[in-house]
Amino acid sequence: MPHLLVTVGSRQGLHARPAALFVQAAARQPVKVSVGRPEQALVDARSLLSVLALGAGQGDTLQLSADGEHAQAALEELALLLSQDHDD
C-alpha cells in the first residue's frame, strides 16, 4: 500500500478549518485514503471527527496511505494540502 509522510504546515495545526479542507479533498479522491501518526493506527481521511482527534500541530508528521490505481496521485495532492499554511 503506497504511503507518504507529510509535515503539517498550518501554524495552528490541523484545527477545524484546515481539517475540513483536508477531509473535503480526501472525499473527492477516487480511492480511500487513511491518515494518522506514524506507527499508530490510521483513520479514515474522510472523517472530520477522526482527523480532528489526531490533534496534529504544526510540524507534526502524519502518514497518508491509500490503495488503488490512483493512490499515488491522491496521496500527493493531499500531502501538498497538509503541508501548506491555511492560517494566513
Side-chain angles (χ1 to χ4, degrees):
M1 178 178 295
H3 70 274
L4 285 177
L5 295 177
V6 61
T7 302
V8 176
S10 285
R11 283 179 277 150
Q12 300 300 317
L14 203 52
H15 61 83
R17 185 175 170 289
L21 293 172
F22 173 75
V23 167
Q24 290 168 359
R28 288 192 301 269
Q29 300 305 317
V31 294
K32 181 179 177 186
V33 179
S34 299
V35 61
R37 296 181 183 274
E39 308 301 323
Q40 293 185 2
L42 301 180
V43 299
D44 187 347
R46 299 169 296 182
S47 168
L48 182 59
L49 289 177
S50 295
V51 171
L52 286 171
L54 294 172
Q58 182 187 32
D60 287 354
T61 299
L62 295 178
Q63 178 178 328
L64 298 173
S65 295
D67 200 17
E69 183 178 342
H70 303 287
Q72 193 63 37
L75 293 177
E76 289 172 7
E77 179 182 334
L78 294 171
L80 179 63
L81 185 68
L82 280 178
S83 68
Q84 295 172 339
D85 185 0
H86 298 282
D87 292 318
D88 285 337

